[in-house]
Amino acid sequence: MSQSLEPVRTPRSHPLVQLILARLREFCREPSAIFWVYVFPLIMVVTLGVAFRNQSAEKYEVAVVSSKRADEVRAALADDARFKSRITDQEESRQLLRVGKVDVVIRVPDSALGECEYSYDPSRPGSVLARDAADDLLQRRAGRRDAFPATNREVSEPGGRYIDFLVPGLLGMGLMGGGMWGVGFAIVDMRMRKLLKRYLATPMRRGHFLAGIMLSRLAFTLPEVLVLLVCARLWFGVEIHGSLVTTCLLIMLGAFQFAGIGLLVASRAETLETVSGLMNLVMLPMWIASGIFFSVERFPPLVQPAIQCLPLTPLIEALRRVILEGAGLGSIGLQLATIVAWGTVTFVLALRWFRWN
Amino acid sequence: MSLAICCHQLFKTYASKPPVEAVRGIDLEVGQGECFGVLGPNGAGKTTTIEILEGLLAPTSGDVQLLGMRWQDHPDAIRQKIGISLQETQFSDKLTVLETLTLFRSFYKHGIDPRAAIAQVSLEEKADTWVKRLSGGQRQRLAVATALVGDPELLFLDEPTTGLDPQSRRQLWDVVRDFRRQGRTVLLTTHYMEEAERLCDKIAIVDHGKVIAMGTPRGLIAGLGGDHVVEFTLEATAAAPPPLDLWRGLPSVTSCLCEEGWYRLSVVQPHIVIPAVLDQLERLGLRLASLSTRHASLDDVFVRLTGHALESREEREV
Ligand SMILES: Nc1ncnc2c1ncn2[C@@H]1O[C@H](COP(=O)(O)OP(=O)(O)OP(=O)(O)O)[C@@H](O)[C@H]1O
Ligand SMILES: [Mg+2]
């Protein structure tokens, strides 16, 4: 044995490098992992992008309750491309309004156009707009004059559409899911295989092991995010307005943060069921409240502090600022600090609580 | 000869419900260069003991020294010098044998080339095969290779040959012998009496968390008082079976046991005992169903000590 002693150490034979290499190899050899990581977010982007693409061009749905003058009203609405109208009876119109199939119901008495009655849902912005637009149209028809002439300039640039809002949200969601599942499952799987115990019996440094897991996670993240951003750009023209370096930095920090949380969640779990349950428990509030699909501001002020403390909220917020508004590092300092704090604290706690066998 | 392993009054109680006293006062002394075997039935406490020695489990009480060092004082130094294979480890499915060993090699300051470790366990052909595609025996050998790759002074193998075919088992024995020939120490556990007899310089038989006998295989067998065993069964009759003392009283018989209809006599000289047995049976009007004679083995030592056979008890517990 002694003749084959191997005293030379190349960087490649450093344990950290070897641990990272091992994780990368395992990942690349797992077709289903590739699917979930690369294909799934793309499917999300495409479906949601297509579903919400025409939102701004949507028409106001109007129901006119049948009466002698209903046709007159309908003809007036038909002249304006913004409206789509139908004539229904009283009962049906109420039904349609209730389920949101129409935005406003107009009832005109047989006698005169001047006494219209609008039924609408004040809690639905589309409904309110439709009521005002229809009223405006009918009032002008009846002879109302504008007090002064106004000019309108329509501005609809990439950056303000729903898809632009969505892509950073999906990016954040991907970082969360990838980091937590990628790290958590891998660890619990190794624990179940007694591989962690086997490692514990070697002189391997524990910090190397955990760092290897986190760093390999960062390495998987880069292509994953790149695919999403490139496709969003090609298909929907979603552009990154801020600096690429800042975006990358944010993404890496996000991946680091969720790898840390994943590590902590998996630090004691002994079965895949336990770890899945814990993961979902941790991620659920963020799916709902961290602003993936709609703005965080929709929640009441009372819960805002709690929402802002969730790890995903500052990440998505910062991504939107950088990608959509072109913000620089300076203006997302608070978010960056929150992200780094989450990552570091969870990593340190995981290192302390980690159960090896 | 200095001691490679020395443990004193080892106790381990698992805090499960109900608590399990898995190890109840074990003392072991293994000299440098020895191959030491721990034998015992399922649940005897072998794995618990070996994992305490390996530093993977904390004993409830007791003292462990490996190569003159204690776990609490020099954990890293000890880990650099020991190689282990657990009773059950599943290495990463999607790494190859060579990749797995290269990974393990990277943890040690000094060690052997991963390919040399592969050669030692004769897995050259499978060097580039994924672990997932290895047979059970090949995985076992990979586990031993991961123990060898750090060029250890002290090797712990927990049931290294369970589930191996006879040829792979012999190959593993050769690995252990080669290792020992370089003056290094091995501690292994096994269920196989034959393995312990052939491979080990010294043996501890463990049952219910205690060492019930310790010595060289020859010494333990000699302790039976006879080198041979005569076994027989009787044809079923209505009459009550004869008392064991009857057989014990025969010349040249040193002890007698009856288990499930099998009479086992430890004897010094079979040619004296067998005619005497036949005489007695004729006198009692009983007839033999079978009779055999063989050299005494460790199994007989075990039976003698515990009153039941290792193998059959294993089967019953499965
Ligand atoms: N983690 C645990 N918690 C509770 N009891 C345990 C635990 N591990 C082992 N035991 C119990 O301790 C006793 C000794 O177990 P151990 O694994 O040391 O036996 P062994 O001699 O290695 O058996 P085998 O030949 O089957 O491997 C058994 O009764 C077992 O049920
Ligand atoms: Mg065992």
Side-chain angles (χ1 to χ4, degrees), chain A residues 44-94:
Chain A
M44 278 300 259
V45 173
V46 173
T47 25
L48 291 170
V50 168
F52 291 101
R53 190 182 39 190
N54 295 325
Q55 204 184 34
S56 58
E58 248 166 45
K59 298 189 175 192
Y60 299 125
E61 294 276 353
V62 184
V64 185
V65 177
S66 58
S67 71
K68 283 205 185 117
R69 314 196 61 130
D71 282 329
E72 210 175 305
V73 172
R74 192 156 182 238
L77 292 171
D79 284 346
D80 193 319
R82 292 177 301 166
F83 296 100
K84 211 175 129 197
S85 61
R86 62 181 102 181
I87 295 185
T88 62
D89 62 38
Q90 176 80 31
E91 187 49 42
E92 191 187 354
S93 69
R94 196 177 302 149

Side-chain angles (χ1 to χ4, degrees), chain B residues 47 87 158-159:
Chain B
T47 298
Q87 187 168 354
D158 197 358
E159 296 191 24

Side-chain angles (χ1 to χ4, degrees), chain B residues 175-229:
Chain B
V175 173
V176 172
R177 287 195 187 110
D178 278 349
F179 186 82
R180 214 191 58 106
R181 211 164 287 139
Q182 300 163 39
R184 309 181 196 207
T185 316
V186 185
L187 183 137
L188 58 85
T189 72
T190 180
H191 293 283
Y192 302 111
M193 297 291 169
E194 185 204 358
E195 178 163 294
E197 258 177 84
R198 291 184 173 218
L199 205 54
C200 299
D201 307 302
K202 215 171 153 192
I203 288 167
I205 298 180
V206 178
D207 196 20
H208 291 114
K210 283 187 172 161
V211 175
I212 54 178
M214 179 136 56
T216 63
R218 284 288 109 214
L220 286 171
I221 293 167
L224 285 172
D227 245 1
H228 297 265
V229 176

Side-chain angles (χ1 to χ4, degrees), chain A residues 29 193 197-198 200 202, chain B residues 51 79 84 93-94 99:
Chain A
R29 293 169 188 175
R193 291 164 173 274
K197 191 173 186 176
R198 180 65 189 86
L200 186 63
T202 70
Chain B
E51 286 188 354
R79 285 196 187 100
I84 77 160
D93 275 341
K94 305 228 159 149
E99 287 161 357

Side-chain angles (χ1 to χ4, degrees), chain A residues 42-294:
Chain A
L42 285 186
I43 295 178
M44 278 300 259
V45 173
V46 173
T47 25
L48 291 170
V50 168
F52 291 101
R53 190 182 39 190
N54 295 325
Q55 204 184 34
S56 58
E58 248 166 45
K59 298 189 175 192
Y60 299 125
E61 294 276 353
V62 184
V64 185
V65 177
S66 58
S67 71
K68 283 205 185 117
R69 314 196 61 130
D71 282 329
E72 210 175 305
V73 172
R74 192 156 182 238
L77 292 171
D79 284 346
D80 193 319
R82 292 177 301 166
F83 296 100
K84 211 175 129 197
S85 61
R86 62 181 102 181
I87 295 185
T88 62
D89 62 38
Q90 176 80 31
E91 187 49 42
E92 191 187 354
S93 69
R94 196 177 302 149
Q95 183 72 14
L96 287 171
L97 182 63
R98 194 170 61 78
V99 299
K101 288 226 172 107
V102 301
D103 297 312
V104 60
V105 174
I106 306 177
R107 202 158 61 92
V108 268
D110 290 348
S111 50
L113 192 62
E115 286 157 37
C116 280
E117 180 194 281
Y118 304 105
S119 310
Y120 68 102
D121 178 354
S123 69
R124 255 170 51 209
S127 189
V128 176
L129 288 175
R131 183 232 161 257
D132 289 351
D135 182 49
D136 189 47
L137 182 87
L138 295 178
Q139 298 277 11
R140 282 181 195 214
R141 270 296 159 101
R144 189 173 77 181
R145 291 278 159 271
D146 288 339
F148 59 88
T151 47
N152 298 317
R153 235 179 48 222
E154 294 195 349
V155 184
S156 169
E157 272 178 30
R161 303 161 306 167
Y162 182 63
I163 185 76
D164 298 298
F165 179 84
L166 187 63
V167 165
L170 288 182
L171 210 58
M173 187 176 82
L175 288 171
M176 173 170 81
M180 304 230 352
W181 291 119
V183 170
F185 256 62
I187 297 241
V188 175
D189 182 57
M190 285 193 244
R191 187 175 288 127
M192 285 168 63
R193 291 164 173 274
K194 306 238 169 134
L195 200 51
L196 289 183
K197 191 173 186 176
R198 180 65 189 86
Y199 285 148
L200 186 63
T202 70
M204 180 190 76
R205 299 260 296 274
R206 297 166 193 210
H208 279 163
F209 176 80
L210 299 182
I213 296 254
M214 307 250 308
L215 290 174
S216 55
R217 193 54 237 164
L218 299 193
F220 304 145
T221 300
L222 212 51
E224 174 185 329
V225 161
L226 219 63
V227 169
L228 189 84
L229 285 176
V230 167
C231 292
R233 169 81 201 254
L234 292 180
W235 294 337
F236 299 107
V238 176
E239 279 188 61
I240 298 179
H241 291 274
S243 105
L244 259 179
V245 177
T246 313
T247 312
C248 283
L249 177 75
L250 251 179
I251 287 168
M252 289 290 119
L253 286 178
F256 164 73
Q257 155 183 261
F258 285 111
I261 297 172
L263 206 60
L264 184 62
V265 169
S267 64
R268 313 219 105 206
E270 287 186 59
T271 65
L272 289 179
E273 288 77 16
T274 316
V275 80
S276 320
L278 284 174
M279 293 268 179
N280 283 325
L281 197 69
V282 171
M283 288 198 280
L284 190 67
M286 291 190 264
W287 276 323
I288 297 171
S290 281
I292 301 174
F293 300 105
F294 54 87

